[in-house]
Amino acid sequence: MSAYRTTLRRAGTVAALATAGVLAAAGVASAHVTVHPESYAKGATDGVLTFRVPNEEDKASTTKVQVYLPTDHPVLGVLVTPQNGWTAKVTTSKLKTPVKTDDGTITDAVSEITWTGGKIGAGQYEDFNVAFGQLPDDTDQLSFKTLQTYSDGDVVRWIEEAAAGDDEPENPAPVLKLTAKESEDGDAAPAASASTSASDTKTTSASSSSSSSDSTARGLGIAGLIVGVLGLAAGAFAVVRSRSPRS
């Protein structure tokens, strides 16, 4: 019995350590600077990107955040949402390759946004919202390199990009995945599907109705047989009863 209890205690200790390790790993992963949502359709318009900045230090506060936007695949029409306690500075740069749009040719785009004046304390995070007019449609992802400065002068550089098949780097840059565009006649397929679904529904309904009718007919037939049997039984009982006095 003693050996059994010892084994249980050891198993419990191992499980507790494993759980603690998983939670610690999750805490480290969640401490990264990230962008939300994680994906948008290529060429998406009129959306919002949220940069979530958590504070990793116990004895220092985050006092400055710098987000660098790519200029090789520029994000057009960038606007910064006012952030309570923070002041945003937006920097634009000339594009090496101008972008043609329905409203004309774009030669400049936002390349950096810097937030200062606020404070993110230990165990806290801040969301910085950035609206955009249009995302590029010629790439599969956008990397937003970010610098996070603390009150003690320490600077964490979230600028590393993971190569295909490699593990996540120690200080990964926030990455936005760009998914395939929706087809121009994207409503056609759902409509056809809906039509097919409606047809299937009608067929199922007709089949169900037919089955219901057959069940009803069978029920009525069985009921008729039962009534007939009961009638015969009643007649036989009457005959037997009438003969009994005579006997």
Side-chain angles (χ1 to χ4, degrees):
M1 185 62 117
S2 177
Y4 177 70
R5 289 178 178 174
T6 301
T7 301
L8 285 178
R9 282 198 298 270
R10 289 177 179 175
T13 301
V14 172
L17 291 174
T19 302
V22 170
L23 292 176
V28 172
S30 63
H32 297 165
V33 175
T34 53
V35 61
H36 303 273
E38 296 180 351
S39 65
Y40 257 114
K42 292 182 178 180
T45 58
D46 300 327
V48 175
L49 298 176
T50 299
F51 294 93
R52 177 160 295 176
V53 182
N55 188 82
E56 293 184 308
E57 300 291 338
D58 295 330
K59 299 180 180 180
S61 301
T62 297
T63 57
K64 184 179 181 180
V65 177
Q66 297 165 269
V67 175
Y68 295 87
L69 285 67
T71 54
D72 52 346
H73 303 289
V75 178
L76 306 180
V78 170
L79 296 173
V80 179
T81 302
Q83 195 82 4
N84 188 30
W86 295 85
T87 299
K89 177 184 177 182
V90 179
T91 302
T92 60
S93 299
K94 285 284 185 182
L95 299 177
K96 292 182 178 180
T97 304
V99 179
K100 293 182 179 181
T101 68
D102 295 337
D103 298 324
T105 301
I106 306 298
T107 58
D108 300 87
V110 174
S111 57
E112 178 187 348
I113 304 174
T114 301
W115 286 273
T116 56
K119 182 175 69 173
I120 306 174
Q124 300 178 344
Y125 72 90
E126 191 85 33
D127 282 344
F128 298 90
N129 296 324
V130 176
F132 64 83
Q134 183 175 344
L135 295 177
D137 59 4
D138 56 352
T139 184
D140 294 328
Q141 67 177 35
L142 295 175
S143 178
F144 300 93
K145 296 181 178 181
T146 303
L147 301 185
Q148 182 178 8
T149 302
Y150 287 91
S151 56
D152 59 2
D154 187 23
V155 178
V156 180
R157 302 168 63 84
W158 303 99
I159 62 174
E160 298 175 8
E161 299 182 28
D166 290 348
D167 294 334
E168 184 180 62
E170 183 178 356
N171 295 317
V175 173
L176 176 70
K177 301 292 185 181
L178 297 181
T179 60
K181 287 183 177 181
E182 295 182 0
S183 59
E184 295 181 358
D185 56 347
D187 293 336
S193 176
S195 176
T196 303
S197 177
S199 177
D200 291 344
T201 300
K202 290 180 180 178
T203 302
T204 302
S205 177
S207 175
S208 177
S209 177
S210 176
S211 176
S212 178
S213 297
D214 292 342
S215 298
T216 302
R218 283 196 295 269
L220 291 175
I222 292 172
L225 288 174
I226 292 173
V227 171
V229 171
L230 291 176
L232 288 174
F237 177 78
V239 171
V240 171
R241 188 174 181 183
S242 63
R243 288 180 177 180
S244 179
R246 295 176 183 175
S247 298

